[in-house]
Amino acid sequence: MLFEPYRNEPFADFTDPATLTRFRRTLEDVRGQLGKDYPLTIDGEHVTTGQYLESRDPSRKDRLVGRATKAGPREIELAIDAAWRAYEGWSRWSMEDRARLLVKLAAIMRRRREELAAWEVFEASKNYLEAIADVAEAIDFCEYYARMALTHAVPLHSYTHAGEENTTVFQPMGAGLVIPPWNFLLAILVGTTVGPVVVGNTVVVKPSPSTPIIAAMFMELVAEAGYPPGVINLLTGDDAVLGDALVDHPRVRFINFTGSVGTGTRIFERAAKVQPGQTWLKRTFLEMGGKDALIVDETADLELAAQAAVTSAFGFQGQKCSAMSRLIVVDEVHDELLERVKALTEKLTIGPADENPDVAAVINERQYQKILGYIESGKAEARLVTGGGPAAGDGWFIQPTVFADVPVGATIACEEIFGPVVAVLRAKDFGHALEIANGSMYALTGGVISRSRENLARARAEFQVGNLYLNRKITGALVGVQPFGGFKMSGSNTKAGGPDYLKNFMEMKTTTERF
Ligand code: NAD
């Protein structure tokens, strides 16, 4: 093995006063750098168009985090040209050398991890721990995929045939498109980029218009690491201009997308159409939403259950694809658990992310309005237990909200809200709870809190989710430890951070020589 054994990047302990003070100082430094303009990166060059997209702090609406250059049709062509030009050389680098460069990128990120986390506090309203965890995950993706890439550098084993030599090798595919969401603004952007890149592909990255500044900062790290020009290109801008145009482009070889089911299915459909001049079938990887459930049965440790529920539901304001949005409780313990969940929820602090609350602002006005709309439909469909509206402040603050007596078919029990809203559903028994949990079009994460071996075993077999957690929270998958990704409308199950992830971005070629 070229590198030291893989291990997850540690988070930071903000209960330690020295760590807290240091991070607050970093936040101050970064605050002094807010409000600048950022370019696109095409072929290793900074490109500006004179048109900008504003990124504002969701917790303090009047604070400009920065302005990112808006790309247009011309920049799309330039970026795709650059990616294919770079592919010629990059695809011929040895796997070892590409892996080394990725480990270097991780080292640069690690040296700047607090600074990057501070940017996330301002751009996405993550509290300190959520921000550090996101940067740590980005580092993990680099370290893990660098090591996994090496396992694909050797030919695949096949049986022998008399008089012949048969060799099957992996090769990269070409220039692809990376479309990450805003919620894990660095981690998913980095993971979905460096995965295809380390095995020899080149990419055009189109980040979410909600978090373009962290993407521009990532390009600084890419340049510092010494990636050849054109291997990773960045196009920021409006989805209306960039989205379909990039997806439809005949020279895009693959699309690595993470986001909502609406966008994902649109990409799936458009990418399936072979455009004039296109000489391949585009491969699409579509990791989408969730309506994640935690089941609590009558044998459960109810304090553990309440804590797991509240942490899973309201961490980062419920804006995780893995967030618990359905709490399914067996009748016998329903009322007692609900009381505990209510009490813990009401203890959560709400405030601007730079003050490190439990719950900060949601990402933008569109999400804010959408979540409040769901809360209103919840009031009509169910019983409001706590929360139920906006919270005070100069940003997009929403109270952590819990609804009980939610009917199985209610809107708030079926649709992904992607905010701090929980639907509590009552089940007759464990079997009924499983039936409710599996009755969703999504199958991303899920969990069970139980002391019953029988129920835990049944959940392992029958709970249809990509990531099942027993007796713990249902968020926070670790790269290399809990390969992440779901089934059904939650996506194509690429299992980010898993041993087979990189194979998605390669083709297999078999050579037979008869002697
Ligand atoms: P989104 O679908 O709105 O956007 C995702 C990305 O697609 C963004 O970069 C966006 O700019 C881009 N986009 C929008 N319209 C497009 C178009 N027509 N063509 C091409 N690209 C387009 O999702 P979001 O709000 O950024 O992210 C939240 C969603 O992501 C939630 O549904 C969440 O569950 C999901 N998510 C899933 C996972 C997972 O691993 N399964 C992880 C994180 C987030």
Side-chain angles (χ1 to χ4, degrees):
M1 186 48 110
L2 290 179
F3 313 118
E4 59 189 286
Y6 171 75
R7 59 176 186 282
N8 293 108
E9 179 72 10
F11 301 160
D13 177 10
F14 291 108
T15 61
D16 168 31
T19 306
L20 188 64
T21 307
R22 200 179 57 238
F23 191 68
R24 291 222 155 108
R25 220 176 292 129
T26 309
L27 274 174
E28 274 313 304
D29 286 350
V30 169
R31 202 192 315 267
Q33 299 170 46
L34 300 179
K36 291 187 195 155
D37 291 345
Y38 294 83
L40 313 171
T41 302
I42 301 174
D43 211 7
E45 301 287 331
H46 286 170
V47 175
T48 49
T49 59
Q51 294 202 309
Y52 293 98
L53 188 72
E54 287 193 346
S55 173
R56 293 192 169 269
D57 181 347
S59 286
R60 302 182 193 268
K61 287 183 255 178
D62 55 357
R63 180 188 276 159
L64 183 67
V65 177
R67 298 196 311 165
T69 298
K70 277 189 189 177
R74 188 180 124 78
E75 288 72 37
I76 290 178
E77 292 304 320
L78 291 175
I80 293 175
D81 282 349
W84 277 110
R85 263 198 315 278
Y87 180 72
E88 288 294 309
W90 180 247
S91 58
R92 292 189 174 87
W93 277 44
S94 72
M95 201 71 100
E96 286 79 6
D97 281 340
R98 289 192 300 251
R100 280 188 191 105
L101 195 49
L102 189 48
V103 171
K104 180 165 175 79
L105 181 64
I108 294 168
M109 242 182 251
R110 190 175 291 114
R111 286 195 276 276
R112 294 176 62 177
R113 61 181 231 143
E114 297 209 349
E115 181 200 343
L116 292 165
W119 280 96
E120 296 203 18
V121 170
F122 292 119
E123 188 163 45
S125 270
K126 293 208 176 219
N127 69 17
Y128 302 175
L129 190 59
E130 294 287 350
I132 277 286
D134 190 63
V135 178
E137 188 177 353
I139 296 169
D140 282 350
F141 277 128
C142 298
E143 296 281 6
Y144 181 72
Y145 291 152
R147 285 158 180 77
M148 285 303 113
L150 300 178
T151 67
H152 300 308
V154 287
L156 275 188
H157 171 78
S158 62
Y159 288 101
T160 52
H161 187 72
E164 283 181 4
E165 182 206 355
N166 289 284
T167 325
T168 299
V169 295
F170 287 107
Q171 64 179 30
M173 294 194 297
L177 178 59
V178 176
I179 309 183
W182 50 263
N183 68 332
F184 289 96
L185 57 167
L186 189 66
I188 296 185
L189 175 122
V190 170
T192 52
T193 298
V194 303
V197 164
V198 70
V199 293
N201 301 289
T202 57
V203 294
V204 174
V205 184
K206 191 225 70 67
S208 166
S210 296
T211 52
I213 304 305
I214 199 83
M217 315 233 30
F218 171 62
M219 294 310 295
E220 291 175 10
L221 312 179
V222 165
E224 188 181 336
Y227 275 80
V231 171
I232 302 176
N233 304 278
L234 175 73
L235 295 183
T236 45
D238 293 325
D239 287 331
V241 176
L242 301 180
D244 290 350
L246 280 165
V247 168
D248 295 350
H249 201 290
R251 280 184 302 139
V252 162
R253 181 67 186 83
F254 62 89
I255 302 169
N256 198 15
F257 166 85
T258 307
S260 63
V261 72
T263 314
T265 48
R266 180 185 179 96
I267 292 174
F268 191 48
E269 196 177 330
R270 297 189 79 102
K273 179 163 172 34
V274 177
Q275 303 286 344
Q278 185 179 320
T279 55
W280 47 69
L281 299 175
K282 284 176 193 165
R283 269 196 203 172
T284 52
F285 309 100
L286 308 163
E287 297 307 313
M288 306 187 289
K291 188 71 191 172
D292 310 307
L294 180 68
I295 294 177
V296 181
D297 79 4
E298 68 283 6
T299 69
D301 171 342
L302 293 186
E303 196 44 39
L304 169 68
Q307 275 170 10
V310 171
T311 309
S312 306
F314 300 123
F316 188 39
Q317 298 78 264
Q319 302 171 117
K320 300 183 186 182
C321 50
S322 52
M324 186 205 79
S325 57
R326 293 183 296 159
L327 178 58
I328 305 173
V329 192
V330 169
D331 189 44
E332 212 176 308
V333 289
H334 176 279
D335 295 354
E336 189 184 340
L337 181 68
L338 190 60
E339 273 313 304
R340 289 181 194 239
V341 166
K342 177 176 190 290
L344 284 182
T345 303
E346 288 173 356
K347 276 197 201 131
L348 296 173
T349 56
I350 308 174
D354 55 356
E355 293 174 9
N356 201 26
D358 296 316
V359 176
V362 301
I363 191 73
N364 56 31
E365 182 172 12
R366 204 165 58 106
Q367 276 301 112
Y368 176 81
Q369 297 298 357
K370 189 172 149 199
I371 297 163
L372 290 179
Y374 276 115
I375 289 178
E376 286 316 304
S377 61
K379 287 176 184 167
E381 292 172 311
R383 171 166 62 95
L384 180 64
V385 174
T386 188
D394 190 21
W396 310 116
F397 296 102
I398 295 182
Q399 293 173 330
T401 296
V402 178
F403 287 102
D405 302 332
V406 181
V408 171
T411 313
I412 60 161
C414 298
E415 294 183 14
E416 184 184 50
I417 298 173
F418 221 56
V421 183
V422 170
V424 183
L425 296 102
R426 195 186 288 264
K428 289 196 291 285
D429 52 28
F430 189 70
H432 184 214
L434 267 180
E435 189 188 311
I436 297 171
N438 285 336
S440 171
M441 72 169 184
Y442 293 109
L444 189 50
T445 73
V448 175
I449 310 287
S450 170
R451 290 191 181 100
S452 157
R453 252 310 110 198
E454 197 188 331
N455 286 352
L456 294 174
R458 192 167 168 198
R460 279 177 188 265
E462 294 178 27
F463 200 155
Q464 284 303 312
V465 287
N467 288 73
L468 176 64
Y469 298 95
L470 306 178
N471 287 321
R472 53 154 282 182
K473 66 178 178 140
I474 66 169
T475 54
L478 291 171
V479 172
V481 179
Q482 291 128 356
F484 190 80
F487 318 136
K488 292 162 79 178
M489 292 310 281
S490 290
S492 38
N493 196 230
T494 50
K495 285 293 190 191
D500 286 341
Y501 185 73
L502 301 180
K503 282 190 197 160
N504 291 310
F505 310 102
M506 291 184 285
E507 295 169 327
M508 278 195 262
K509 177 176 175 185
T510 304
T511 303
T512 300
E513 180 171 357
R514 178 154 299 177
F515 297 114

